[in-house]
Amino acid sequence: MATESGESSPVLVGVIGGSGLYHLDNLTLLKHVNPETPWGFPSSPIAICALPNGTQIAFLARHGAGHTIPPSSVPSRANIAALKSLGVRAILAFSAVGSLREELAPGDFVLPDQIIDRTKGVRPASFFEGTSVVAHAMFGDPFANKLVNWLESRVRKVVEAAANSADYAARGVKPKLHTGGTIVCMEGPQFSTRAESKMYRQWGGDIINMSVLPEAKLAREAELGYALIATVTDYDSWREDESAVTAAEVFKTLHANANLSRQVAATVLAELHDAAAEGNILDEEAGSMKFSIMPRSGEQKEEDRQKLRYILPAYFS
């Protein structure tokens, strides 16, 4: 696929920054690009940046450069389509989350492997929505398993180093990395009621946010590897002996989490680019939509096929 960046060096890795993570350290900004996709423009212009070794990555602020877009209004289809148009094959997404478990403390990091959808249908959740083409993407494992497994040891090393640093010792905080677990995605923009928070715990939820969907679903439809690095900012609202979660409480932890997220990104991005180029950690996603798209019929409109060609050119040539 021709890339929007116009650069000979491929941009294989995209980073989506969540609340508090609006830029990455240790990168040289080359330029901003703002692809207009069939689903509109992305949340913000995408920064094409170079790592110290020259490797290029794409960075996108999910909520806009100045955090102007609420979760339910994020143009996720445009975001994923724009990253795909640049040549991105793997997406490393960051998100602030609330904890539904005592052992998942504010400041901790989580690599979840399951999702419970509590959005309310107001967010377009499929590239095929509103078209004459029907597809049913596999989503039993909503994150790219090989990519998540690849990330685990590398993220753990960074988090453990931070936990043993003088900076964290001075604050009396020792962040941990937790792997596996279920993230609940709710609509927002309000936080959970206490009753909802307790219900999510009974359902098996471990963390909660407002952003992982439809992002993960769209990445799967676009045949992109997608992994979420969740950063815990608070205990949701299930603790009876504490005040309900507030934005002010979240902001206390958000800054420290964002700094550590930047350290994680700086450590793994170059190696992730090389792994994406080799393709082994992404072979589950490649070609995954081939048998998800219903057979072509005379009722499919050519304009819809042309639209979907933007993200899946192999199937709509």
Side-chain angles (χ1 to χ4, degrees):
M1 176 185 294
T3 65
E4 294 279 357
S5 66
E7 302 291 339
S8 58
S9 176
V11 181
L12 301 180
V13 176
V15 178
I16 298 179
S19 298
L21 187 63
Y22 308 116
H23 68 277
L24 296 177
D25 296 334
N26 202 32
L27 297 177
T28 300
L29 175 65
L30 300 179
K31 63 180 178 180
H32 284 98
V33 295
N34 197 25
E36 183 176 11
T37 78
W39 299 273
F41 289 98
S43 295
S44 63
I46 299 171
I48 305 299
C49 304
L51 298 168
N53 68 354
T55 296
Q56 294 184 30
I57 65 100
F59 178 82
L60 170 65
R62 180 186 290 118
H63 299 286
H67 203 119
T68 57
I69 306 173
S72 299
S73 300
V74 171
S76 294
R77 290 190 295 185
N79 288 348
I80 299 300
L83 290 172
K84 179 76 182 275
S85 77
L86 297 172
V88 165
R89 297 186 60 195
I91 294 176
L92 187 59
F94 290 85
S95 178
V97 301
S99 171
L100 297 169
R101 303 292 167 190
E102 193 70 43
E103 64 271 21
L104 305 180
D108 284 358
F109 280 52
V110 185
L111 289 172
D113 59 12
Q114 280 298 324
I115 305 174
I116 293 175
D117 189 354
R118 281 283 291 166
T119 60
K120 299 176 180 178
V122 299
R123 311 178 187 193
S126 172
F127 288 112
F128 297 85
E129 185 174 318
T131 75
S132 56
V133 183
V134 176
H136 301 281
M138 294 182 295
F139 204 59
D141 296 307
F143 300 103
N145 291 329
K146 289 186 177 181
L147 175 56
V148 173
N149 292 336
W150 183 94
L151 283 168
E152 179 181 347
S153 62
R154 293 159 176 84
V155 175
R156 188 178 303 282
K157 184 176 180 180
V158 179
V159 173
E160 288 180 349
N164 294 319
S165 68
D167 179 48
Y168 276 88
R171 289 187 280 134
V173 178
K174 290 183 74 70
K176 299 177 182 178
L177 173 67
H178 306 267
T179 56
T182 298
I183 180 168
V184 179
C185 187
M186 61 176 287
E187 196 60 69
Q190 299 83 3
F191 294 120
S192 308
T193 67
R194 292 192 189 276
E196 288 170 333
S197 193
K198 292 176 182 177
M199 178 181 69
Y200 299 147
R201 281 167 50 81
Q202 292 176 348
W203 284 0
D206 299 295
I207 52 178
I208 183 167
N209 85 339
M210 304 176 189
S211 299
V212 70
L213 294 177
E215 208 169 79
K217 290 182 176 180
L218 295 166
R220 179 60 51 82
E221 286 189 347
E223 296 189 339
L224 300 179
Y226 179 93
L228 181 75
I229 297 181
T231 60
V232 180
T233 58
D234 60 273
Y235 287 109
D236 199 44
S237 297
W238 54 273
R239 286 174 147 194
E240 290 285 5
D241 57 344
E242 291 187 1
S243 300
V245 62
T246 65
E249 179 185 354
V250 169
F251 291 147
K252 291 178 183 178
T253 310
L254 201 60
H255 180 70
N257 284 1
N259 286 338
L260 187 49
S261 294
R262 282 189 280 271
Q263 292 179 41
V264 168
T267 302
V268 306
L269 283 177
E271 195 177 353
L272 178 55
H273 175 276
D274 293 341
E278 292 173 3
N280 294 335
I281 64 170
L282 302 175
D283 58 11
E284 294 171 319
E285 287 68 44
S288 63
M289 290 296 292
K290 182 177 182 179
F291 300 108
S292 298
I293 302 169
M294 300 303 288
R296 182 174 184 178
S297 73
E299 300 302 316
Q300 290 184 359
K301 299 176 181 178
E302 180 56 33
E303 58 264 34
D304 292 337
R305 294 179 59 82
Q306 183 175 348
K307 184 178 185 180
L308 293 165
R309 191 176 301 140
Y310 192 88
I311 56 160
L312 294 171
Y315 309 129
F316 295 99
S317 57

